[in-house]
Amino acid sequence: PFLLLGIVALLGAVKTREARLMLIWLAIAPLASSITKDAPHTNRMFAIFPALPIAVAYGAHWLITKLSRYKKILPLTIALVIVVYIAFVVQYLEQYYVHFPRNETQYWGTSYKKLSDLLAQPALANKQVIISHPQYSPYIFLLFYSGYDPSAYQREAVRYPPTDDAFVHVQSFGRFEFGDIAWDKNIESGTLVVDIPEHIPQALPPGFVRVKDITLPNGTTQFVLLRKD
């Protein structure tokens, strides 16, 4: 509410230099995010972050100024705002520290660390590995979590042609290959295959054995590791 009040108050004071600066700031800050891929994009909205609390504070100041003549209403309004603010802070802390780590870890590489540790085990360390969805850049996580030698990676990396959006995905390096899994094609015996559950046939093709499910903290399976015998 205070953000909306702040914008209305700024529009009412548009003749002042400060109000015009704030309104221009709020208007142009979203442009970078709006014209790029994956909009809305939080990181590309960094420019607007300082403007929002300033507008909120301006709206709160405007309301307090308007209510200052009402000696009984003003304290009640301030008390109500404090209570609502505390409630929102508590809700934020619960979402961030309780729900977020359980439900959003699939976007932060947690499962890739588990996968990297699993593939580094002695029984699997020398096996060829095929991993699906190169467009998700799984190679970045594997390089990081395995401590792969950067100079070796630079020598070995094979890349796909640039996409229409000018992204260049990695096709392979070392024992790792990244691409769509062709379940009906001949895959060499002993090869490890990593795919997401919904893309794995319910009836596994002959010779494939389910080795391990890589799960998230909320119990959802993000990756499945299989072996071709």
Side-chain angles (χ1 to χ4, degrees), residues 118-196:
L118 180 62
L119 294 175
Q121 292 180 1
L124 306 177
N126 296 318
K127 304 288 187 181
Q128 290 295 119
V129 184
I130 303 175
I131 300 178
S132 65
H133 296 87
Q135 67 272 22
Y136 297 160
S137 299
Y139 78 97
I140 294 177
F141 298 97
L142 293 174
L143 290 171
F144 178 78
Y145 288 123
S146 67
Y148 205 85
D149 182 6
S151 60
Y153 166 73
Q154 293 293 337
R155 292 193 306 269
E156 300 165 357
V158 177
R159 296 173 175 85
Y160 287 101
T163 67
D164 293 339
D165 298 315
F167 286 101
V168 180
H169 302 299
V170 170
Q171 182 176 357
S172 66
F173 73 89
R175 65 188 180 113
F176 298 100
E177 179 183 341
F178 306 92
D180 295 332
I181 310 298
W183 298 98
D184 57 340
K185 298 294 178 65
N186 184 32
I187 296 179
E188 186 178 345
S189 177
T191 301
L192 302 174
V193 176
V194 180
D195 205 347
I196 58 177

Side-chain angles (χ1 to χ4, degrees), residues 3-223:
L3 177 61
L4 297 177
L5 282 175
I7 293 174
V8 171
L10 287 168
L11 289 171
V14 72
K15 293 183 179 181
T16 67
R17 181 177 58 181
E18 294 82 4
R20 288 199 300 271
L21 172 62
M22 288 301 304
L23 289 169
I24 293 172
W25 189 352
L26 290 167
I28 67 175
L31 292 180
S33 174
S34 67
I35 62 176
T36 56
K37 182 177 171 62
D38 299 326
H41 195 293
T42 306
N43 291 348
R44 297 179 189 135
M45 285 288 287
F46 276 169
I48 204 173
F49 288 170
L52 296 177
I54 294 174
V56 168
Y58 193 79
H61 178 268
W62 180 86
L63 181 63
I64 290 173
T65 302
K66 293 296 182 182
L67 293 178
S68 60
R69 70 189 71 173
Y70 304 103
K71 302 301 181 182
K72 294 182 178 179
I73 296 178
L74 181 59
L76 293 175
T77 303
I78 293 176
L80 177 62
V81 169
I82 292 174
V83 170
V84 173
Y85 182 81
I86 292 174
F88 274 107
V89 169
V90 171
Q91 182 192 38
Y92 163 77
L93 293 174
E94 181 194 21
Q95 290 289 332
Y96 189 80
Y97 288 104
V98 178
H99 299 285
F100 183 82
R102 287 180 53 83
N103 300 327
E104 303 297 329
T105 50
Q106 60 181 317
Y107 305 113
W108 298 97
T110 300
S111 296
Y112 285 107
K113 185 179 188 308
K114 293 181 179 180
L115 177 62
S116 178
D117 292 342
L118 180 62
L119 294 175
Q121 292 180 1
L124 306 177
N126 296 318
K127 304 288 187 181
Q128 290 295 119
V129 184
I130 303 175
I131 300 178
S132 65
H133 296 87
Q135 67 272 22
Y136 297 160
S137 299
Y139 78 97
I140 294 177
F141 298 97
L142 293 174
L143 290 171
F144 178 78
Y145 288 123
S146 67
Y148 205 85
D149 182 6
S151 60
Y153 166 73
Q154 293 293 337
R155 292 193 306 269
E156 300 165 357
V158 177
R159 296 173 175 85
Y160 287 101
T163 67
D164 293 339
D165 298 315
F167 286 101
V168 180
H169 302 299
V170 170
Q171 182 176 357
S172 66
F173 73 89
R175 65 188 180 113
F176 298 100
E177 179 183 341
F178 306 92
D180 295 332
I181 310 298
W183 298 98
D184 57 340
K185 298 294 178 65
N186 184 32
I187 296 179
E188 186 178 345
S189 177
T191 301
L192 302 174
V193 176
V194 180
D195 205 347
I196 58 177
E198 52 266 34
H199 287 180
I200 298 174
Q202 289 187 349
L204 289 178
F208 281 95
V209 177
R210 196 170 183 132
V211 178
K212 189 174 180 62
D213 290 7
I214 310 296
T215 59
L216 298 166
N218 62 5
T220 303
T221 298
Q222 185 169 6
F223 303 123

